[in-house]
């Protein structure tokens, strides 16, 4: 039976469910330090979620919980899933007496940070939304953390004027397209910044540390976050492909969309083409790095979404929401059964006069990933602020330009 928050047995039941969550996070390697484990056992997450949220949802390791929606129903503020909160705090390498800025306030994550840095530490939680900061202050006061966390209403893109000294760590809990120069200016020389960084539409929570005039990654985790608001927001370019029946396939470009997208008008009315790669994978095996590989090296890369009622929507389980635009044609990754039903083969499906060529471009990148990166060391990341000298990129390194700098993504060759 689902237990709802607000019944007389909440306290004991909540402690039981919370400890079960922490046990799972420890077993799965999301929590690796005693300090983070103690914090997750101490802070009552169910007291920070909206009223009426079940304990099972509040303490599900993979569930984020929305706390505010825009008028169109899009979530604009949420409490992140426990697994990624645990990983990001571990990425930050916090300890007793440290100072930390949290960008994006829910109250709960700030309470976790307060537990880890202790009474001698300092936690500053900032958000651009007054409703969010008021809610966070009220919940932190109700749970006994008001003297250990300072909540500030501000656009973090401009830094935290009230800060004074630099901090040991910055945790960004909203999806960021770039790193603000103000963040780096307020980070201690040996400090760390953990940020869910969007790279050509693909997000990773990256733990960075300073290395001279730039940042280098110490860790990276697959994640998804509500996008940054305010001056740090970055809108995608969206192009609609009509299917002739009033429905659309949407192509979403993170930056620098191809020229002459009007060449795709009517493309969904053309015959579909398929090209297959002979690259297979067993069921249940993650291939998230293939998505990042596409974002790095697939020309004309975009994210894909299909309205219900379109042909693509009817086949949703056989393709992935990414694509490539090649002049008047576009292709997207797909799978078909392989390995005697125990796996799938990767391929590309395409529309347009030169759909086969577009699908071939995509398949060549699948094969390159399989040959050069699959099963090898994880990619590493670096951030080069504007004005720094970045060495020439070697083989297997992609460079993505940002407003205030450049991100490089390096793939060690699988041996």
């Amino acid at each position: 039976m689902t237990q709802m928050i607000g019944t007389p047995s909440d306290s004991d039941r909540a402690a039981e469910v919370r400890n079960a969550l922490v046990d799972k996070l420890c077993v799965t390697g999301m929590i690796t330090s005693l300090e983070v484990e103690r914090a997750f056992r101490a802070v009552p997450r169910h007291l920070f979620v909206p009223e009426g949220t079940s304990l099972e949802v509040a303490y599900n390791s993979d569930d984020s919980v929305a706390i505010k929606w825009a008028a169109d129903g899009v979530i604009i503020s949420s409490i992140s899933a426990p697994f990624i909160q645990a990983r990001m705090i571990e990425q930050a390498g916090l300890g007793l007496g440290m100072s930390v800025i949290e960008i994006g306030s829910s109250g709960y994550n700030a309470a976790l940070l307060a537990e880890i840095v202790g009474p001698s530490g300092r936690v500053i939680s900032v958000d651009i939304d007054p409703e969010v900061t008021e809610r966070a202050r009220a919940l932190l006061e109700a749970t006994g953390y008001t003297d250990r966390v300072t909540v500030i209403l501000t656009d973090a893109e401009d830094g935290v004027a009230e800060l004074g000294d630099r901090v040991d760590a910055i945790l960004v809990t909203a999806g960021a397209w770039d790193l603000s120069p103000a963040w780096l200016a307020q980070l201690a020389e040996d400090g760390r910044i953990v940020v869910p960084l969007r790279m050509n539409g693909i997000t990773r929570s990256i733990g960075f540390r300073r290395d001279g005039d730039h940042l280098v990654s110490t860790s990276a985790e697959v994640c998804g976050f509500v996008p940054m608001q305010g001056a740090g927001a970055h809108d995608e370019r969206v192009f609609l492909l009509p299917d002739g029946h009033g429905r659309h396939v949407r192509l979403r470009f993170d930056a620098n969309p191809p020229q002459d997208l009007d060449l795709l008008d009517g493309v969904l009315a053309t015959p579909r083409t398929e090209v297959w790669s002979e690259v297979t994978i067993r069921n249940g095996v993650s291939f998230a790095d293939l998505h990042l590989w596409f974002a790095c090296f697939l020309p004309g890369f975009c994210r894909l979404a299909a309205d219900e009622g379109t042909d693509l929507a009817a086949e949703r389980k056989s393709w992935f929401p990414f694509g490539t635009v090649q002049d008047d044609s576009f292709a997207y990754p797909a799978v078909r059964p392989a390995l005697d039903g125990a796996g799938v083969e990767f391929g590309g499906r395409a529309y347009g006069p030169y759909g086969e060529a577009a699908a071939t471009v995509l398949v060549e990148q699948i094969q390159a990933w399989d040959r050069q990166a699959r099963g090898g060391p994880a990619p590493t990341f670096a951030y080069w602020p504007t004005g720094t000298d970045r060495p020439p990129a070697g083989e297997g390194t992609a460079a993505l330009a940002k407003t205030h700098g450049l991100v490089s993504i390096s793939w060690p060759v699988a041996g």
Side-chain angles (χ1 to χ4, degrees), residues 244-310:
H245 302 287
R247 295 174 291 266
H248 297 88
V249 171
R250 288 169 168 79
L251 308 183
R252 310 179 70 92
F253 296 92
D254 187 64
N256 302 319
Q259 299 296 315
D260 299 324
L261 283 172
D262 288 346
L263 292 175
L264 293 176
D265 286 350
V267 71
L268 294 179
T270 64
R272 192 178 71 183
T273 304
E274 295 184 354
V275 178
W276 297 96
S277 67
E278 298 185 353
V279 176
T280 60
I281 191 167
R282 293 200 168 272
N283 294 333
V285 177
S286 173
F287 51 92
D289 275 354
L290 175 58
H291 304 161
L292 184 60
W293 180 275
F294 284 151
C296 290
F297 301 116
L298 182 61
F301 178 80
C302 61
R303 293 195 300 144
L304 203 65
D307 288 353
E308 291 300 328
T310 57

Side-chain angles (χ1 to χ4, degrees), residues 170 172 179 183-184 187 191-195 206-209 215:
I170 297 174
V172 183
L179 275 64
W183 302 348
L184 305 187
L187 185 66
R192 293 194 182 191
I193 180 168
V194 181
V195 55
I206 304 175
F208 283 114
R209 63 170 176 80
L215 304 176

Side-chain angles (χ1 to χ4, degrees), residues 4 6 24 74 77 94 110 130 137 140 143 200 232 256-257 303 318 343 388 404:
M4 300 301 291
K24 179 179 180 180
V74 173
S77 185
L94 295 170
R137 285 193 193 96
L140 288 164
T143 50
N200 207 7
N256 302 319
R303 293 195 300 144
S318 69
T388 57
H404 305 297

Side-chain angles (χ1 to χ4, degrees), residues 99-409:
S99 56
V100 56
I101 296 174
E102 176 197 39
I103 298 175
S105 297
S106 69
Y108 173 66
N109 198 64
L112 292 171
L113 297 174
E115 288 286 346
I116 293 168
V117 303
S120 61
R122 186 182 186 192
V123 178
I124 299 172
S125 182
V126 303
D127 202 285
I128 196 173
D129 189 326
E131 291 184 13
V132 171
T133 54
E134 288 173 12
R135 181 182 186 276
R137 285 193 193 96
L139 292 172
L140 288 164
E141 181 176 6
T143 50
Y145 291 95
T146 189
D147 294 332
R148 302 171 64 180
V149 178
T150 302
V151 180
I152 297 174
L153 173 65
T154 190
D155 187 339
E157 184 74 6
D158 301 324
V160 183
E162 298 88 342
L163 180 61
D165 295 334
R166 293 186 175 191
V167 293
D168 299 301
I170 297 174
L171 267 73
V172 183
T173 62
W177 191 81
D178 197 4
L179 275 64
S180 166
W183 302 348
L184 305 187
Q186 296 193 295
L187 185 66
E189 285 301 318
D190 59 349
R192 293 194 182 191
I193 180 168
V194 181
V195 55
L197 188 61
R198 197 169 87 214
M199 298 164 288
N200 207 7
I202 304 298
T203 302
R204 295 290 183 270
S205 171
I206 304 175
F208 283 114
R209 63 170 176 80
R210 289 190 189 272
D211 185 4
D213 60 359
H214 66 288
L215 304 176
V216 296
S217 64
T218 58
S219 58
E221 299 287 342
V222 177
C223 66
F225 272 82
V226 171
M228 186 78 66
Q229 300 178 52
H234 179 84
D235 293 331
E236 295 177 315
R237 291 281 302 277
V238 182
F239 185 78
L240 303 182
L241 300 181
D243 71 348
H245 302 287
R247 295 174 291 266
H248 297 88
V249 171
R250 288 169 168 79
L251 308 183
R252 310 179 70 92
F253 296 92
D254 187 64
N256 302 319
Q259 299 296 315
D260 299 324
L261 283 172
D262 288 346
L263 292 175
L264 293 176
D265 286 350
V267 71
L268 294 179
T270 64
R272 192 178 71 183
T273 304
E274 295 184 354
V275 178
W276 297 96
S277 67
E278 298 185 353
V279 176
T280 60
I281 191 167
R282 293 200 168 272
N283 294 333
V285 177
S286 173
F287 51 92
D289 275 354
L290 175 58
H291 304 161
L292 184 60
W293 180 275
F294 284 151
C296 290
F297 301 116
L298 182 61
F301 178 80
C302 61
R303 293 195 300 144
L304 203 65
D307 288 353
E308 291 300 328
T310 57
D311 291 342
L312 267 72
E315 301 174 354
R316 200 180 301 280
K317 293 183 179 180
S318 69
W319 57 274
F320 303 101
F322 311 105
T324 173
V325 171
Q326 304 290 317
D327 297 322
D328 57 1
S329 304
F330 86 99
Y332 54 96
V335 293
R336 65 182 180 183
L339 302 174
D340 296 326
V344 295
E345 178 187 3
F346 293 111
R349 293 181 180 145
Y351 289 92
Y354 297 96
E356 183 174 352
T360 299
V361 168
L362 188 149
V363 163
E364 287 173 348
Q365 288 303 326
I366 294 172
Q367 293 168 335
W369 165 78
D370 180 62
R371 184 173 60 250
Q372 300 176 33
R374 182 179 181 181
T380 58
F381 306 83
Y383 184 83
W384 304 83
T386 300
T388 57
D389 293 325
R390 183 178 66 89
E395 182 182 0
T397 295
L400 304 179
K402 300 290 185 177
T403 302
H404 305 297
L406 181 146
V407 177
S408 62
I409 307 167

Side-chain angles (χ1 to χ4, degrees), residues 67-81:
I67 59 176
K68 186 174 181 180
W69 295 259
D72 59 1
V74 173
I75 297 171
I76 57 175
S77 185
S78 66
I79 302 174
S80 301

